[in-house]
Amino acid sequence: MKKLKGCLYSASESNTKLPDLGPDLIMSEILPRLPAKCVGRAKKVCKEWLSCISSKEFVMMHCRHMCKGSRQKILSIGQESCFISSTTVDLVDEKTMITLPFHVRPSDVWILSSLNGLLCVCLRNTFEMLIWNPLIHSCINISDSKSYGFFKIYSDAVGLYIDSSNDYRVLHIKRGRFTVDVMAYSRRTSHWKRIPFLQKRHYHTNGYVWSGGTFCEDGLYFTVFQFWLAGDIVIIRFDVNTETFSEIGFPYVGNGETCQGNLVNMNNKLHVFVSHGFIDMAVDLWRYEGEHCLVLNYTC
């Protein structure tokens, strides 16, 4: 809250009273620029601040400000150590060592998904899944006695998203024999919920490779690649509001070339980098507008 107090103090020095700032200015220009810990404390000021800070719009504003300058951080996990560093050029060598909140070696931590500073991780020794915020040293174990929340490598897929009620959730896709089971964990209620998958779709076999989830607008997206058939890729979309799945066509590169795709959220629009070719490999950048895609750039 020091930054907020500093702003208000400077305002009073220039004969500007606090009411003159207006609640809209405080909510849109001051609070989104505060560090995460200060924002958490600001929730306790009043119900109006709590409602604003808990909204999806505020979260997006805060994340945009946190991604600027020295506020953007990189988490590096090595064999024996874990540290956070800045992306700013003149601060790139400054590292802060952090202690893991779980009893494993750093090399035994798998990062499954990330969203707004939160990480969904898996512990290699137990396969338990956890939600972890490295900046504020907060950690929640989301596995339970019913075998929910245990990650199986090479078959499961995971994605973090925010639903219509601004609740952070973990979507866990588990593939078994002839089945695809989907479970969603609520950070607010600490409970798992079963969600129906697509009917008559054979994505359960190990012949398909699933990516991690990419959250964008109101959807969580996965690429599903059948490596026995060159170029056979589809994008699976999970609508976070209706909790339904749908299939979206993958960008067509032609010539029957082998291709791969990596999804990314850029300015809250879904993009995909498509690499294709074997000897002469090329990479295209596509942007999705609804279920339609438009090629934006081409590089060799």
Side-chain angles (χ1 to χ4, degrees), residues 19-285:
D20 296 336
L21 293 176
D24 292 340
L25 179 63
I26 295 175
M27 296 298 181
S28 62
E29 299 296 334
I30 298 178
L31 291 181
R33 288 176 165 82
L34 297 180
K37 287 185 178 180
C38 294
V39 172
R41 294 172 189 154
K43 288 183 177 181
K44 301 178 181 179
V45 172
C46 62
K47 292 183 178 180
E48 182 183 0
W49 283 33
L50 174 62
S51 176
C52 172
I53 294 172
S54 302
S55 69
K56 195 175 188 178
E57 292 72 21
F58 181 87
V59 171
M60 297 304 296
M61 283 193 299
H62 188 260
C63 287
R64 283 196 293 268
H65 287 296
M66 292 300 102
C67 289
K68 295 178 181 179
S70 60
R71 291 179 173 180
Q72 194 169 11
K73 307 295 183 181
I74 296 177
L75 174 68
S76 301
I77 300 179
Q79 290 291 326
E80 301 293 339
S81 61
C82 182
F83 56 86
I84 294 176
S85 59
S86 174
T87 58
T88 305
V89 175
D90 55 349
L91 298 175
V92 70
D93 292 330
E94 294 187 6
K95 300 177 181 179
T96 301
M97 192 77 67
I98 62 174
T99 302
L100 296 179
F102 20 83
H103 301 292
V104 296
R105 295 174 56 189
S107 57
D108 290 331
V109 178
W110 292 327
I111 297 178
L112 306 178
S113 184
S114 64
L115 178 64
N116 297 342
L118 285 182
L119 300 176
C120 182
V121 302
C122 171
L123 307 184
R124 184 180 296 184
N125 59 336
T126 62
F127 301 102
E128 295 171 292
M129 289 168 51
L130 305 95
I131 298 177
W132 175 33
N133 188 330
L135 292 177
I136 61 175
H137 309 291
S138 173
C139 181
I140 302 173
N141 191 324
I142 63 175
S143 58
D144 64 16
S145 60
K146 296 182 180 179
S147 77
Y148 299 150
F150 290 88
F151 184 80
K152 187 176 181 180
I153 194 171
Y154 302 127
S155 63
D156 291 2
V158 169
L160 276 165
Y161 67 95
I162 308 174
D163 67 9
S164 57
S165 66
N166 299 314
D167 182 17
Y168 279 83
R169 290 178 173 264
V170 177
L171 192 74
H172 186 190
I173 299 175
K174 298 175 66 69
R175 291 185 292 162
R177 188 176 183 184
F178 308 117
T179 61
V180 175
D181 291 328
V182 182
M183 303 296 298
Y185 176 84
S186 167
R187 189 184 180 199
R188 181 176 298 160
T189 66
S190 301
H191 288 96
W192 288 92
K193 173 184 177 181
R194 187 177 296 278
I195 295 176
F197 188 64
L198 294 168
Q199 296 294 323
K200 299 180 180 179
R201 294 294 187 271
H202 304 291
Y203 297 127
H204 60 275
T205 69
N206 289 332
Y208 289 94
V209 178
W210 286 66
S211 72
T214 298
F215 180 59
C216 184
E217 295 183 291
D218 294 322
L220 185 63
Y221 298 85
F222 302 83
T223 58
V224 181
F225 172 61
Q226 188 176 18
F227 57 82
W228 297 117
L229 298 174
D232 187 7
I233 309 178
V234 67
I235 296 177
I236 301 294
R237 180 180 188 270
F238 174 69
D239 190 305
V240 303
N241 296 322
T242 63
E243 295 189 334
T244 57
F245 287 89
S246 61
E247 297 172 327
I248 297 178
F250 192 80
Y252 177 72
V253 297
N255 302 323
E257 295 179 321
T258 300
C259 62
Q260 296 181 355
N262 293 287
L263 302 175
V264 62
N265 183 339
M266 296 169 55
N267 297 322
N268 210 25
K269 291 292 183 181
L270 183 67
H271 293 68
V272 55
F273 286 97
V274 181
S275 58
H276 54 94
F278 183 68
I279 299 178
D280 298 322
M281 180 171 287
V283 178
D284 302 329
L285 174 62

